[in-house]
Amino acid sequence: SVTWVDLDASTPAEGPEAVAKLMEKKYEGATMVVDRVADGVRSSGATLYYDSDAGSGRRGTMYVEVDDAGLITFVQEAWEPLYKPGSLTADLLKAVTANFEKEDKEPTYAPRKPKGASDTVRYLWEEANPGGAELDVALDLFADDILYEDFNFEEPFVGREAVDGFLREFDFPGIEFVPERVSEGKDACAFTWRVLIGGEEGPKGVSFYSVKQGKVDFIRDIPAPAIKPPPLATLAAVLQPKLRVFKPRT
């Protein structure tokens, strides 16, 4: 059996027939380009985008698991939102969590140097962050020329200084980032996650991390849309089925 979770959809596709119908609806007649691939074996992931002669289109991230026979058993994919609220996201979250105060307590995690992409994700989000680490612990693991794509924003954050400013904008109490499925991969990995906002369930998403020379050099975060299916993406799929965006990227 296979479960395919498209975060644009309200329910997952269960079983080969349902997955085939989903893929036909999303990908028929379209050219998909995979530009980054995690190097896991039983679990992996990729970043990808729609493409045509007019240019490149909507971008996505995918997490994948396979069984002993190499058959796909689970997929979760997230796609670029066409409306990007930018810093309004941080403003909204701050308003929702305004009554939460940062706890003054000693860190409970054991500092260490992670080995590879998957281990870096697990160290940051399963050990350091829930163990009370300061933001600098994550920044120390980022390359000087890191490219960080958070699709709440129109433009990526380039370089550690820019990423520092972006992350500090979201560094306040009441928000908990919880990894769910983390793929294998030394050079790159994908993982699924959910966010708790004031202890309540928030958005889910998919991320992709790559590591070069021991430092994270690329991150892509894509959250699930608040409305499913997302209205703008649905309209773009009708008007530009090969790109799924209103205007191609060049």
Side-chain angles (χ1 to χ4, degrees), residues 118-142:
S118 182
D119 190 39
T120 296
V121 168
R122 292 192 180 278
Y123 173 65
L124 286 176
W125 299 114
E126 296 179 348
E127 300 174 34
N129 186 262
E134 295 294 332
L135 183 56
D136 288 342
V137 172
L139 291 168
D140 287 344
L141 295 175
F142 292 169

Side-chain angles (χ1 to χ4, degrees), residues 8-242:
D8 277 359
S10 56
T11 57
E14 299 281 358
E17 290 186 8
V19 170
K21 290 180 180 179
L22 173 66
M23 295 185 70
E24 181 178 356
K25 180 180 179 181
K26 287 181 67 73
Y27 304 127
E28 186 178 22
T31 299
M32 305 303 301
V33 176
V34 176
D35 50 357
R36 293 179 178 86
V37 180
D39 53 321
V41 178
R42 289 292 301 270
S43 56
S44 188
T47 65
L48 61 164
Y49 60 90
Y50 286 85
D51 195 35
S52 77
D53 293 339
S56 56
R58 198 178 184 201
R59 295 167 289 181
T61 302
M62 184 177 290
Y63 168 91
V64 182
E65 293 177 0
V66 300
D67 62 16
D68 291 337
L71 299 177
I72 295 173
T73 58
F74 180 85
V75 172
Q76 183 163 309
E77 59 177 340
W79 289 91
E80 177 181 10
L82 301 193
Y83 170 67
K84 300 179 175 66
S87 293
L88 290 176
T89 303
D91 294 340
L92 175 60
L93 292 175
K94 288 176 183 176
V96 172
T97 60
N99 293 328
F100 288 80
E101 295 183 1
K102 187 173 183 178
E103 296 182 21
D104 187 13
K105 62 180 182 180
E106 290 294 321
T108 58
Y109 74 102
R112 64 182 181 87
K113 185 177 181 179
K115 298 179 180 179
S118 182
D119 190 39
T120 296
V121 168
R122 292 192 180 278
Y123 173 65
L124 286 176
W125 299 114
E126 296 179 348
E127 300 174 34
N129 186 262
E134 295 294 332
L135 183 56
D136 288 342
V137 172
L139 291 168
D140 287 344
L141 295 175
F142 292 169
D144 290 338
D145 59 349
I146 183 174
L147 175 65
Y148 196 130
E149 296 178 340
D150 183 296
F151 282 165
N152 282 312
F153 291 81
E154 288 287 351
E155 299 296 332
F157 299 92
V158 182
R160 188 158 52 185
E161 183 176 349
V163 172
D164 185 335
F166 157 64
L167 293 179
R168 292 191 190 281
E169 187 176 8
F170 287 83
D171 186 26
F172 48 84
I175 304 295
E176 184 179 357
F177 187 85
V178 183
E180 295 188 315
R181 298 172 183 249
V182 181
S183 84
E184 303 166 352
K186 183 177 180 181
D187 296 330
C189 77
F191 66 102
T192 69
W193 47 263
R194 59 191 174 96
V195 174
L196 298 178
I197 303 174
E200 301 293 330
E201 291 291 340
K204 292 179 176 288
V206 184
S207 289
F208 189 95
Y209 279 41
S210 70
V211 171
K212 186 176 182 180
Q213 296 180 342
K215 298 286 187 178
V216 179
D217 67 337
F218 174 81
I219 294 176
R220 175 181 289 177
D221 294 336
I222 307 183
I227 302 175
K228 300 183 181 185
L232 289 179
T234 301
L235 180 59
V238 174
L239 298 177
Q240 294 271 18
K242 292 185 177 182

